[in-house]
Amino acid sequence: MSVSGTSERPLCVAIVGSGPAGFYTAEHLFRRDDLTVRVDMFERLPMPFGLVRYGVAPDHQKIKKATKAFDRVASRPEFRFFGNVEYGRHVTLDDLRRHYHAVCFATGAQTDRSMGIPGEELDRSHPATEFVAWYNGHPDYRDHTFDLSVECAAVVGVGNVAVDVARVLCRTPEELEKTDIADYALETLRASRIKEVYMLGRRGPAQAAFTNAEVKELGELEGADLIVRRSDLELDTLSESELAKGDDRAAQKKVEILRALAARAPQGRARQLKLRFLVSPVELTADSDGRVAGMRLVRNVLYRAEDGALRPKPSDEHENLPVKLVFRSVGYRGVALPQLPFEERRGVIPSDQGRVVDPENGRPVPGLYVTGWIKRGPSGIIGTNKPDAGETVASMAGDAAEGLVPEPAVVDADAIERLVRERQPDVVGFDDWQRLDAFEMERGAASGRPRVKLTSLAEALAQLRGS
Ligand code: NAP
């Protein structure tokens, strides 16, 4: 192995996945003065940007502005985008290792965690991740159906994804039609008969995973009153003493915000969003057609676990909620990738400072890296991926300088393109995506929306062929 990353011997990097983690990795690579690089990004879908396009809520357009920085990365002559190309199907690990010094996986967390309770698999019980992907027009989820003809729904979990789902369920059609929500979702939500949405936290308000700006926004919905029970905000002694330490200012503020929200009188809006704490679903009950007909809850109390965290344990107090539709929002989960090690318990590729680690011997696998959620698990906001990518790139640059990355068998940049085109004639380049982007925005402008998304692969490819 010899030194690479110089102007004579640029470091050739393949990034698998085009979400924020992938793009921030490319950005960090281009920013380094000590490194000359060529970056190719592989994406399973024709459209780039991963969770920015398919995860961020449609009524949070500002967050989607992150793509401006990604466009700048993509405009560099040393960058190529291979969209509609799937790792493990159109390109294998061996292909990538033959053509690149370094391969970095940025595939995120593509599935959900489960609650592990009876009835979870009933009709009208869904992972929140699928609902999110559906309303954001993800091609894999556009044909899913969600029965919004019922009146009472529950979202399990109180993280920011749960907040997004509850908020979208409570938005009025007028609020939604200003966004880039998928057209079919807009129509389904327009016809929604939902009147009551429960959000259920298994721990107390001081431990809620949502951030303060997000919960405040729940108090500002045009069509729904946020109801928080004052009794849920009376802190147990463990939470009280934890907050009194004063080292978690955000948690203190969170409790203050919730108390202010609880003190407000409902305004008689069409929908009610009921935020509850210290409860866990223990069972979903079924009607005769196998659909959710109700939810049995247990009230929890907090205890201090061995690791020092406050965790919930069930009491013997139970309650039934008349919910007919359930979204479990209890966390995303990474998916194992072909030919790579995987840590089942955390749902991540095992790594050390961004270097993929062989679990057999605990040593880094030369030339393989990870970044984003598939590296650290599904936590943090879009911007969290920036320093995370920085760490991975620092490892990669260090390895290149020390001659620790393997020399690829083929250094011809055209060779991988030929190989990809052979296996996937419908490869989508970044210029193709820009045409689709312009088309979506043009359609949106006609109806006063940021964009009208192309949600079907066939439609997107036909658009490219025709335009
Ligand atoms: P999260 O923040 O980890 O929240 C998961 C929630 O599920 C927590 O309330 C957790 O409770 C609960 N939970 C886990 N297992 C449960 C169980 N078995 N029963 C009941 N509740 C359970 O995850 P997320 O909401 O999926 O969000 C992922 C990341 O994306 C987060 O970092 C989030 O901030 C970020 N995000 C940000 C935005 C934004 O900035 N607007 C929007 C969406 C997502 P415990 O706390 O008790 O474990």
Side-chain angles (χ1 to χ4, degrees):
M1 292 189 224
S2 51
V3 174
S4 44
T6 60
S7 51
E8 299 77 41
R9 299 163 57 83
L11 183 74
C12 303
V13 182
I15 298 177
V16 179
S18 70
F23 267 102
Y24 286 132
T25 300
E27 188 178 46
H28 275 286
L29 281 165
F30 289 133
R31 268 219 203 124
R32 290 188 73 106
D33 310 331
D34 59 343
L35 213 55
T36 305
V37 283
R38 243 185 355 92
V39 176
D40 287 346
M41 185 177 275
F42 295 85
E43 166 59 54
R44 185 172 70 88
L45 295 173
M47 294 82 159
F49 308 146
L51 267 199
V52 177
R53 183 174 164 98
Y54 297 118
V56 172
D59 57 344
H60 278 176
Q61 287 297 313
K62 263 196 203 149
I63 301 179
K64 299 193 185 221
K65 292 216 160 65
T67 60
K68 296 260 179 275
F70 306 160
D71 286 342
R72 281 195 293 279
V73 169
S75 70
R76 301 202 45 138
E78 312 86 352
F79 178 91
R80 293 187 299 184
F81 177 73
F82 293 103
N84 207 22
V85 177
E86 185 172 351
Y87 171 78
R89 181 170 165 218
H90 302 113
V91 284
T92 64
L93 184 61
D94 296 337
D95 296 330
L96 296 179
R97 290 180 74 93
R98 269 177 67 74
H99 292 85
Y100 300 93
H101 294 98
V103 186
C104 182
F105 292 88
T107 49
Q110 297 168 40
T111 186
D112 67 297
R113 293 178 44 207
S114 60
M115 299 185 288
I117 60 167
E120 192 166 1
E121 301 314 319
L122 291 172
D123 283 354
R124 294 198 304 229
S125 161
H126 309 274
T129 53
E130 291 187 3
F131 186 59
V132 169
W134 172 79
Y135 65 58
N136 276 322
H138 191 300
D140 294 353
Y141 297 90
R142 66 192 297 270
D143 296 323
H144 278 45
T145 53
F146 298 93
D147 181 359
L148 306 186
S149 70
V150 299
E151 294 196 348
C152 184
V155 185
V156 181
V158 288
N160 282 333
V161 171
V163 172
D164 284 346
V165 167
R167 202 178 62 249
V168 166
L169 286 171
C170 288
R171 285 275 188 216
T172 62
E174 294 72 30
E175 288 174 307
L176 291 173
E177 65 197 13
K178 293 181 213 141
T179 74
D180 66 353
I181 191 165
D183 270 352
Y184 54 76
L186 179 60
E187 291 322 308
T188 306
L189 284 156
R190 204 190 285 286
S192 163
R193 295 214 205 116
I194 289 176
K195 290 203 172 82
E196 235 182 345
V197 177
Y198 285 91
M199 258 183 84
L200 305 172
R202 63 177 172 180
R203 297 190 288 163
Q207 295 84 32
F210 50 60
T211 40
N212 292 344
E214 273 60 33
V215 69
K216 262 194 200 163
E217 196 181 2
L218 289 183
E220 294 157 5
L221 299 171
E222 280 175 20
D225 282 320
L226 177 65
I227 316 273
V228 193
R229 304 201 311 189
R230 284 184 208 199
S231 56
D232 271 9
L233 302 178
E234 283 161 16
L235 300 184
D236 60 292
T237 48
L238 288 173
S239 301
E240 193 83 73
S241 65
E242 197 83 0
L243 276 195
K245 284 188 208 155
D247 43 16
D248 190 348
R249 186 67 200 115
Q252 288 176 332
K253 187 80 192 149
K254 190 169 294 174
V255 173
E256 276 170 36
I257 293 169
L258 287 165
R259 287 194 172 135
L261 289 168
R264 300 187 324 180
Q267 300 296 304
R269 296 188 176 93
R271 291 188 172 124
Q272 294 202 320
L273 173 51
K274 296 181 168 175
L275 182 51
R276 297 279 307 271
F277 292 105
L278 286 165
V279 284
S280 285
V282 286
E283 184 181 5
L284 302 182
T285 54
D287 66 12
S288 53
D289 293 322
R291 302 173 303 187
V292 173
M295 176 187 274
R296 191 160 163 73
L297 288 180
V298 67
R299 186 151 184 85
N300 295 326
V301 288
L302 295 179
Y303 73 99
R304 194 172 295 282
E306 268 174 25
D307 63 1
L310 299 186
R311 295 201 201 286
K313 65 175 179 194
S315 71
D316 50 14
E317 229 181 284
H318 288 86
E319 182 185 347
N320 293 317
L321 292 183
V323 303
K324 304 273 186 287
L325 176 66
V326 175
F327 297 101
R328 56 179 182 274
S329 184
V330 296
Y332 283 79
R333 198 182 143 71
V335 172
L337 294 170
Q339 293 185 275
L340 287 169
F342 191 65
E343 206 182 302
E344 219 30 82
R345 193 181 59 80
R346 293 176 57 223
V348 297
I349 295 173
S351 64
D352 181 15
Q353 294 174 60
R355 296 179 179 95
V356 173
V357 164
D358 182 344
E360 301 279 301
N361 56 25
R363 284 203 292 270
V365 185
L368 295 191
Y369 300 87
V370 277
T371 184
W373 279 6
I374 196 64
K375 167 187 176 187
R376 66 174 198 277
S379 69
I381 57 172
I382 303 282
T384 315
N385 293 299
K386 232 179 199 181
D388 182 310
E391 180 190 63
T392 296
V393 168
S395 296
M396 211 187 280
D399 293 350
E402 286 180 38
L404 295 176
V405 291
E407 195 57 31
V410 183
V411 278
D412 171 11
D414 296 334
I416 186 76
E417 184 164 358
R418 279 197 300 274
L419 181 86
V420 169
R421 284 191 188 282
E422 245 169 56
R423 302 215 186 126
Q424 170 53 300
D426 284 327
V427 55
V428 172
F430 206 78
D431 52 341
D432 295 325
W433 152 247
Q434 285 172 318
R435 277 153 58 208
L436 295 178
D437 186 33
F439 174 71
E440 289 186 342
M441 288 197 291
E442 215 172 278
R443 290 206 304 188
S447 48
R449 304 176 60 191
R451 69 177 63 238
V452 173
K453 282 184 179 176
L454 288 158
T455 61
S456 118
L457 295 184
E459 202 189 344
L461 295 178
Q463 179 61 29
L464 284 176
R465 285 191 206 107
S467 58

